[in-house]
Amino acid sequence: MMMNKTQATCIGLIAILLWSAIVGLIRSVSEHLGATGGAAMIYTVAAIFLLLTVGFSKLSEFPKRYLFWGSILFVSYELCLALSIGYAHTHRQAIEVGMVNYLWPALTMVAAIIFNQQKTNLWIIPGFILAMTGIVWVLAGDEGINMLSMANNVRDNPLSYGLALIGAFIWAAYCTVTARIANGKNGVTLFFILTALALWVKYFMFPAEAMDFSVQAVVYLLLAAAAMGFGYAAWNVGIIHGNMTILAGASYFIPVLSAALAAVLLSTPLSISFWQGAAMICIGSIFCWFATQNKD
């Protein structure tokens, strides 16, 4: 039994590694297939992977509130995530957008405290402040805390940064709401199908870039879809059968892992200030998590 729990925990840790590659892979796909078309293809293939691994449960088995709110929040978040990265003007900007998105762990903890009466202590205050400071540090660039520099950086592409920030709040809401109304059900396969459909509607209704299906594009597409689909499937195994404490703690290192993998995939060197900001986001999120684990 202990071995099974250990194996499940390891599978959950694999999900964290897969998710950490998403920023770089989404960006790579979007450069070949376009922001909208690339995202639509990723979620379509990922949905197929999920149908083959997780399967598709009967809708009648799900709480109606979970189907409604879960679908809206999940699809909205995934659209914000994929399009914010796809719309980035440069590789560096795509990685920065990914960092903004990774505010969600700290925001999730705050939302759980406010709406789910999650017990906490004063560690939540420095944790949240540090996570927010990390975002400011990343966006300010190499000049440190310089509000003018940060404003100029965001002004270059407010759509991408705005979508990433909105997405962070939406995912925090999703985690908070589904914890209360999901009743142990997992609608991830349905949610991926709905996300793919929403992206295809956008692709055909509004002008979009032409898709160039080169060998390299297909390889990136398969990798991105596998990271998405199998990441969620592996995480589901981990949180149901593994050690959730270990998995929750490890998940807060995703920003640094994501930046490192994206820097390699996109051949983009990152400055010391960027890594400092990414570390602040990680440490701040860990403080927020720690605040909910120590209630004395």
Side-chain angles (χ1 to χ4, degrees):
M1 182 64 67
M2 180 61 68
M3 185 62 181
N4 289 337
K5 185 173 184 178
T6 300
Q7 290 175 339
T9 302
C10 290
I11 291 173
L13 292 174
I14 291 173
I16 292 174
L17 291 176
L18 291 174
W19 283 341
S20 297
I22 285 175
V23 172
L25 290 172
I26 289 178
R27 178 63 185 182
S28 297
V29 172
S30 68
E31 290 181 343
H32 291 277
L33 306 182
T36 304
M41 287 299 302
I42 290 173
Y43 285 93
T44 298
V45 178
I48 295 172
F49 287 160
L50 283 169
L51 283 169
L52 296 175
T53 55
V54 176
F56 191 89
S57 302
K58 294 180 180 178
L59 296 183
S60 59
E61 298 177 354
F62 291 90
K64 292 182 179 179
R65 286 199 305 161
Y66 172 58
L67 281 178
F68 179 77
W69 289 110
S71 297
I72 290 176
L73 293 172
F74 188 97
V75 173
S76 298
Y77 168 72
E78 297 297 339
L79 291 178
C80 287
L81 172 65
L83 295 179
S84 66
I85 295 171
Y87 288 149
H89 293 164
T90 64
H91 288 171
R92 167 66 184 257
Q93 200 171 81
I95 299 173
E96 289 180 358
V97 163
M99 290 302 99
V100 174
N101 172 72
Y102 287 126
L103 265 179
W104 68 260
L107 292 173
T108 299
M109 288 299 174
V110 173
I113 293 166
I114 296 174
F115 298 107
N116 287 355
Q117 289 75 53
Q118 171 71 53
K119 294 182 179 180
T120 186
N121 60 36
L122 291 178
W123 277 104
I124 193 71
I125 298 174
F128 187 73
I129 292 175
L130 188 58
M132 293 299 295
T133 302
I135 289 297
V136 173
W137 204 275
V138 166
L139 296 182
D142 299 335
E143 299 181 23
I145 300 298
N146 183 320
M147 299 308 293
L148 180 60
S149 174
M150 184 182 72
N152 289 334
N153 198 13
V154 174
R155 192 181 298 119
D156 177 62
N157 191 350
L159 179 59
S160 279
Y161 290 112
L163 285 173
L165 183 59
I166 292 170
F169 278 98
I170 292 174
W171 191 248
Y174 172 83
C175 294
T176 304
V177 169
T178 55
R180 299 172 60 181
I181 65 176
N183 197 26
K185 298 298 182 181
N186 180 15
V188 65
T189 302
L190 169 65
F191 297 159
F192 262 75
I193 293 173
L194 292 176
T195 302
L197 289 174
L199 285 164
W200 282 119
V201 168
K202 181 181 183 300
Y203 180 81
F204 288 112
M205 287 187 65
F206 301 97
E209 308 93 327
M211 292 191 279
D212 175 24
F213 281 99
S214 63
V215 173
Q216 188 178 36
V218 172
V219 170
Y220 281 131
L221 171 61
L222 293 176
L223 289 175
M228 281 281 194
F230 293 147
Y232 278 100
W235 184 253
N236 190 51
V237 172
I239 61 176
I240 293 176
H241 303 292
N243 187 319
M244 191 56 205
T245 300
I246 292 176
L247 294 175
S251 68
Y252 294 117
F253 292 96
I254 290 179
V256 169
L257 290 173
S258 175
L261 290 175
V264 173
L265 284 170
L266 302 176
S267 302
T268 304
L270 300 173
S271 65
I272 294 297
S273 64
F274 179 94
W275 291 113
Q276 290 171 339
M280 289 180 197
I281 298 170
C282 286
I283 296 171
S285 297
I286 291 171
F287 279 0
C288 291
W289 171 76
F290 183 73
T292 64
Q293 305 300 310
N294 297 272
K295 315 175 190 64
D296 297 334

